[in-house]
């Protein structure tokens, strides 16, 4: 019996644990070939074992989203191997420090922005051409209620997620006349 995502290719960031792992497993159960992306290959191997045990297929990619050259290379690499991308799940993220804004170091601020926001822009930029080659490209980025909550001490995380929300909404408008759809979850 055919599955809903047979023949589809999905890229999931932060696929080694938590939401990313669960999404990757669900996509594979529905028949997608899943590109599992995380900083650690060891944890990805466990997800790959589960996918293969259930009859699915995956490709493991060690990638640190703070290393922008690695992110930028994803689109061309996927194009060379598969020619298109059907699903992009931007799940990877970091909380960063919970402290007064005046106590957040420049390095901590940059780390949160690079993982939660800047890498998302780079993923969109590198994957857009191959998503447009799909007859139904789908992009989902995981956001947070913190983007609008105005909680004290959550500065870097809240700002990065508010920026992510604006980024994805902008991209969604830019692709509304194509076969690509972008959403926040």
């Amino acid at each position: 019996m055919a599955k809903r995502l047979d023949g589809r290719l999905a890229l999931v960031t932060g696929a080694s644990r938590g939401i990313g792992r669960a999404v990757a497993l669900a996509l594979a159960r529905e028949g997608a070939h899943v590109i599992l992306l995380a900083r650690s290959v060891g944890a990805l191997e466990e997800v790959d074992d589960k996918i293969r045990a259930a009859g699915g297929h995956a490709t493991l990619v060690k990638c640190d989203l703070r290393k922008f050259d690695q992110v930028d290379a994803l689109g061309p690499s996927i194009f060379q191997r598969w020619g298109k991308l059907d699903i992009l799940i931007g799940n990877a993220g970091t909380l960063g420090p919970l402290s007064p804004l005046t106590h957040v170091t420049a390095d901590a601020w940059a780390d949160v922005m690079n993982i939660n926001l800047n890498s998302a822009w780079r993923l969109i930029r590198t994957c857009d051409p191959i998503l447009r080659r799909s007859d139904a490209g789908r992009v989902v980025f995981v956001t947070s209620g913190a983007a609008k909550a105005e909680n004290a001490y959550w500065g870097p995380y809240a700002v990065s997620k508010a920026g992510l929300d604006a980024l994805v909404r902008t991209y969604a408008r830019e692709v509304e006349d194509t076969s690509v759809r972008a959403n926040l979850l």
Side-chain angles (χ1 to χ4, degrees), residues 22-97:
V23 170
L25 293 171
L27 289 167
R29 271 193 307 276
E30 289 296 330
H33 180 103
V34 184
I35 302 169
L36 306 170
L37 189 139
R39 289 180 294 175
S40 165
V41 172
L44 288 178
E45 288 173 344
E46 293 174 19
V47 180
D48 182 48
D49 289 345
K50 282 192 163 251
I51 289 172
R52 292 185 188 282
H57 303 281
T59 299
L60 283 59
V61 176
K62 180 180 177 183
C63 178
D64 185 337
L65 294 177
R66 294 171 293 196
K67 296 184 178 172
F68 296 145
D69 58 327
Q70 293 178 8
V71 178
D72 294 344
L74 287 170
S77 297
I78 292 168
F79 175 76
Q80 274 189 325
R81 183 160 176 191
W82 290 286
K84 69 170 180 147
L85 179 65
D86 299 295
I87 302 164
L88 168 60
I89 306 293
N91 166 69
T94 187
L95 180 60

Side-chain angles (χ1 to χ4, degrees), residues 115-135:
I115 293 170
N116 295 355
L117 179 57
N118 297 333
S119 69
W121 167 69
R122 287 180 176 271
L123 281 165
I124 288 170
R125 190 175 70 161
T126 194
C127 291
D128 177 70
I130 54 177
L131 285 160
R132 289 175 186 254
R133 294 178 63 90
S134 173
D135 63 338

Side-chain angles (χ1 to χ4, degrees), residues 160-180:
S160 70
K161 290 299 185 172
L164 176 67
D165 289 6
L167 173 74
V168 175
R169 284 190 181 107
T170 300
Y171 180 61
R173 294 293 295 211
E174 291 175 357
V175 296
E176 67 186 3
D177 291 332
T178 73
S179 62
V180 178

